[in-house]
Amino acid sequence: MHCFTFVAVSILVFTFTLSASDALTTNMTKNLKVLVSSNDFAESGIKILEEHFTVVKSRYFGFNEEGLNENMQELMNLIPGCSALIWISHHPITKELLDKAGPQLKIVATASAGYNNCNVPELKARGIKLSNTPNVLSAAVAEIAVSLMIGAARRFTENLDQVKRGEWEGIGFQNMLGQDLRDSTIGIVGFGGIGQATAKRLVGFEVGKFLYSGHRERPEAKNFGAELVPLDTLLSQSDFILLSAPLTDETRHMINKTSLAKMKKNAIIVNVGRGDLINQDDLYDALKNKQIYAAGLDVTTPEPLPKDNKLLTLPNCFILPHIGSATVRTRNDMAELAAKNVVNALYGRALISPVLP
């Protein structure tokens, strides 16, 4: 009993000491500035940052033309003297912006899983830490991946057009027939968090088998009976091909005229990774000529896709406006993780999700 009391008191004293130390440190860090690069960052992330630092937020949207013009100029004005940058944008971080920041910039925390627009070589050369927000968005993106598979396989683009025109061709017994997920072969390029979360959701659709490609075997693949195969094998055997790989020099335009020619005629390709994983001109030709069955895209190049883009003329291409992680819960989780990475970096602690630790 006495031993238990001693341990309990010790824990309380230790907890109090840590809390008092953190409070003292927080008072000392209030003079550190954190720049939030877009006016739509979730409030839950802002609150975490404001507990520790002075938060400076852009008045402008970090995306589209506004992100490239008004917002970028605003950031150039606000970033001098900042110790951290929360990056919410599909535009790249420029060398000029980092020059404006000055040497006290310690971390860039991107509120996304992908970080191909974060100028990694430049950050590394300057000794600036980089974090991202993987895993917290896997479930939401997986839901969109499955939605795109269904949408492309069941010809949503054509069928929605029928509803708008009031001409329901699908009423006929042999009209507007689609493809089944049941008993199909699913090939996943990028069997990380999103790829695995998608496989988990597809199990309930009674798919036939899973294939995946990559540089190494994934222990988690055993949970799905998924088989590691060369990319060419995956392309030639899969009914559905999911791209959930990061964009790198190796993966850029990995889907092109040559790789499309290896796919089945009934193949459906789905992209939830980055637009530049696919050469869109080659994809257009393959879809137009019915070389493959259909495509479902949540990411494109550029974003937004211009309304006169030729992919939008195809009945067998189902496109969404990059909404993979767009749920209230997921965007809050992403904002909070980005904010916590900043807190850890500026307190000298290890990053939670490091890219450049």
Side-chain angles (χ1 to χ4, degrees), residues 116-346:
N116 56 287
N117 62 333
C118 289
N119 204 340
V120 175
E122 191 66 32
L123 293 179
K124 187 174 183 180
R126 296 171 186 248
I128 298 171
K129 297 177 186 293
L130 174 64
S131 66
N132 64 340
T133 60
N135 303 325
V136 294
L137 50 69
S138 294
V141 178
E143 291 170 3
I144 288 297
V146 175
S147 300
L148 285 166
M149 289 181 182
I150 296 171
R154 300 301 296 272
R155 303 169 67 170
F156 274 20
T157 299
E158 295 168 271
N159 284 308
L160 288 171
D161 183 59
Q162 284 188 61
V163 173
K164 292 176 182 177
R165 290 186 286 107
E167 300 173 6
W168 288 29
E169 299 170 25
I171 292 175
F173 191 67
Q174 288 293 321
N175 292 341
M176 300 303 292
L177 304 185
Q179 302 280 356
D180 284 292
L181 272 167
R182 183 180 46 157
D183 294 327
S184 65
T185 296
I186 309 289
I188 300 177
V189 182
F191 202 59
I194 292 170
Q196 291 169 35
T198 305
K200 181 179 179 180
R201 283 151 181 79
L202 286 171
V203 167
F205 287 87
E206 302 174 4
V207 301
K209 64 178 178 179
F210 293 102
L211 306 176
Y212 71 101
S213 64
H215 295 296
R216 60 183 176 86
E217 282 199 59
R218 295 273 188 170
E220 303 88 349
K222 295 177 182 177
N223 299 329
F224 311 100
E227 180 186 355
L228 175 65
V229 296
L231 180 60
D232 283 355
T233 302
L234 183 149
L235 295 176
S236 64
Q237 293 186 7
S238 298
D239 301 300
F240 292 83
I241 297 164
L242 171 66
L243 304 180
S244 55
L247 178 63
T248 64
D249 290 340
E250 181 184 3
T251 61
R252 187 180 302 275
H253 286 186
M254 66 187 305
I255 301 303
N256 51 45
K257 184 176 182 179
T258 301
S259 54
L260 286 160
K262 297 173 182 176
M263 297 179 191
K264 293 180 177 182
K265 192 174 180 62
N266 70 307
I268 294 169
I269 187 160
V270 167
N271 189 7
V272 295
R274 286 291 184 265
D276 272 335
L277 295 176
I278 297 178
N279 181 317
Q280 290 177 178
D281 289 334
D282 292 348
L283 177 64
Y284 172 83
D285 291 339
L287 292 170
K288 179 74 173 176
N289 298 326
K290 294 183 170 50
Q291 182 181 334
I292 63 173
Y293 186 79
L297 311 176
D298 187 44
V299 289
T300 60
T301 301
E303 292 179 356
L305 199 64
K307 60 185 180 181
D308 61 349
N309 186 277
K310 57 187 179 182
L311 284 175
L312 297 173
T313 66
L314 296 172
N316 54 346
C317 193
F318 182 51
I319 303 177
L320 296 175
H322 203 153
I323 59 169
S325 65
T327 70
V328 173
R329 175 178 174 177
T330 301
R331 290 290 166 85
N332 282 338
D333 287 346
M334 293 166 69
E336 291 164 21
L337 178 54
K340 289 173 182 176
N341 274 312
V342 167
V343 172
N344 278 20
L346 298 187

